[in-house]
Amino acid sequence: MTDVRLKDIATPSRTRDILEKYGFSFKKSLGQNFLIDTNILHNIVETAQLDKEKGVIEIGPGIGALTEQLGRAAGKVVAVEIDQRLLPILDETLGPYPNIEIVHGDVLEIDLHRLIRERFSGYQKISVVANLPYYVTTAILMKLLEERLPLEHIVVMIQKEVADRIAAKPGTKDYGSLSVAAQFYAEAEVAMVVPASVFVPRPHVDSAVIKLTLRKQPPVEVADEALFFRVVRASFAQRRKTLLNNLQHNLFTKEQKDQVIQLLAAAGIDPARRGETLSLQEFAGLANVIYAAKIR
Ligand code: SAM
């Protein structure tokens, strides 16, 4: 069989031709910034460590620039696109790839457990790989993580500022509740920083690709996961305030000050510290002490 190499979608000229042919106009409200650089796409695909035994869910295929590269590298790709105007375009651009399926819908509404069950039977390893719409980055990531989807990796292009927050270590300015949440479910690393020139139209913020490798087990033991996340959110509510102050105002009441001091002492944490200095282990210890005291 001769391997006829298809022309990449993600070149400036082919992208322009496709957009012109269909009279497509970008919708800013849907975060439409399409990739026009094949090198970046190859790097993303390489970061995701795909092979023909693996499946991929893509969120927002656009005109199929990343999708076709995923189709070449993985066994099967299912891409979820919200914008109906893109469906006939994808029909044409991805026509040559029988292992790619398009699902029309909003990824935040779709039952992804069901999608995996119904469309990836026989696949042991499934990853999410995407150039995410920036207006919903955090909501999409939190859905993927909190729903505990059986994923190997999540490799996504997002705003650099959000990528830095996700991968931040305790004691740094970027460390916050998003860092704790992401690192509770996954190992996080910023895989590459990407210039605005690789998109049309160019976004107004810097971009980066983040790689999340999902953990089988959280790195800390927590008695009550919902309480753990409430403690974390309360601790970061006002970054300039001490832990004591934040917990008193956002989880307990002013009158419970002495109790909060006792709980912090039981967890071995100085009440004058700020939330941004606590490790995942310390947050877990504190949440477990609060859980055991049965006050919350
Ligand atoms: N993957 C393409 C690329 O890299 O060139 C397009 C990426 S563009 C940043 C984001 C894509 O997500 C757009 O195609 C947009 O229509 C789609 N999108 C926006 N919100 C969505 C949602 N809630 N669910 C599914 N797709 C969405």
Side-chain angles (χ1 to χ4, degrees):
M1 201 171 77
T2 45
D3 175 27
V4 185
R5 186 91 186 150
L6 291 156
K7 219 169 128 198
D8 287 324
I9 297 168
T11 62
S13 61
R14 177 129 192 248
T15 301
R16 196 181 44 240
D17 289 350
I18 294 167
L19 297 177
E20 264 175 27
K21 177 174 173 187
Y22 287 88
F24 183 83
S25 53
F26 294 103
K27 264 198 194 156
K28 216 175 159 188
S29 62
L30 290 179
Q32 292 178 337
N33 301 93
F34 296 171
L35 280 166
I36 48 161
D37 184 311
T38 46
N39 284 330
I40 297 287
L41 292 170
H42 293 155
N43 287 342
I44 295 174
V45 171
E46 208 168 295
T47 302
Q49 298 171 273
L50 300 172
D51 61 46
K52 288 288 170 189
E53 306 293 306
K54 296 185 181 182
V56 175
I57 299 173
E58 189 195 2
I59 296 160
I63 60 170
L66 173 59
T67 328
E68 79 170 343
Q69 307 291 340
L70 296 170
R72 288 176 191 162
K76 179 167 183 181
V77 180
V78 176
V80 180
E81 174 56 60
I82 198 171
D83 188 348
Q84 189 154 17
R85 299 173 308 153
L86 289 166
L87 303 184
I89 304 182
L90 289 164
D91 236 17
E92 180 190 322
T93 57
L94 301 177
Y97 301 93
N99 63 336
I100 298 177
E101 286 176 18
I102 304 295
V103 171
H104 179 218
D106 179 344
V107 72
L108 293 175
E109 305 282 320
I110 281 180
D111 180 343
L112 291 173
H113 278 286
R114 185 165 160 199
L115 182 144
I116 290 173
R117 243 187 356 259
E118 292 181 349
R119 295 180 188 252
F120 286 101
S121 72
Y123 284 90
Q124 303 296 325
K125 291 194 171 160
I126 300 154
S127 291
V128 168
V129 185
N131 169 19
L132 287 183
Y134 291 180
Y135 76 107
V136 276
T137 305
T138 316
I140 293 176
L141 284 175
M142 289 319 294
K143 170 173 169 138
L144 298 176
L145 294 170
E146 282 174 351
E147 290 190 357
R148 302 211 171 208
L149 295 162
L151 298 174
E152 183 184 23
H153 301 294
I154 298 173
V155 175
V156 283
M157 177 89 75
I158 56 178
Q159 304 91 311
K160 179 174 179 300
E161 170 254 324
V162 181
D164 288 340
R165 285 200 279 133
I166 287 174
K169 297 278 170 267
T172 63
K173 71 169 176 27
D174 290 326
Y175 186 66
S177 43
L178 184 61
S179 328
V180 176
Q183 293 168 34
F184 182 79
Y185 296 112
E187 276 178 53
E189 86 181 83
V190 178
M192 66 190 113
V193 175
V194 179
S197 56
V198 301
F199 302 90
V200 277
R202 293 182 181 201
H204 297 299
V205 294
D206 292 331
S207 302
V209 173
I210 189 118
K211 178 179 186 180
L212 298 173
T213 303
L214 280 287
R215 301 181 193 276
K216 302 249 174 309
Q217 297 282 334
V220 290
E221 258 184 53
V222 293
D224 178 340
E225 215 171 288
L227 175 64
F228 169 76
F229 284 114
R230 279 172 59 210
V231 171
V232 172
R233 275 193 299 273
S235 304
F236 285 110
Q238 281 169 291
R239 293 185 72 93
R240 296 156 74 100
K241 290 197 169 171
T242 63
L243 205 52
L244 173 62
N245 223 309
N246 265 329
L247 289 174
Q248 230 182 293
H249 287 97
N250 303 299
L251 195 64
F252 296 92
T253 62
K254 246 175 151 174
E255 291 66 42
Q256 289 176 299
K257 183 175 176 180
D258 289 342
Q259 266 171 305
V260 178
I261 291 174
Q262 276 170 22
L263 290 167
L264 284 164
I269 297 168
D270 181 344
R273 282 173 65 185
R274 302 224 163 110
E276 69 212 54
T277 68
L278 264 65
S279 65
L280 245 67
Q281 284 69 18
E282 288 176 307
F283 276 121
L286 177 58
N288 289 342
V289 164
I290 296 172
Y291 178 82
K294 294 193 170 36
I295 340 182
R296 281 283 121 189

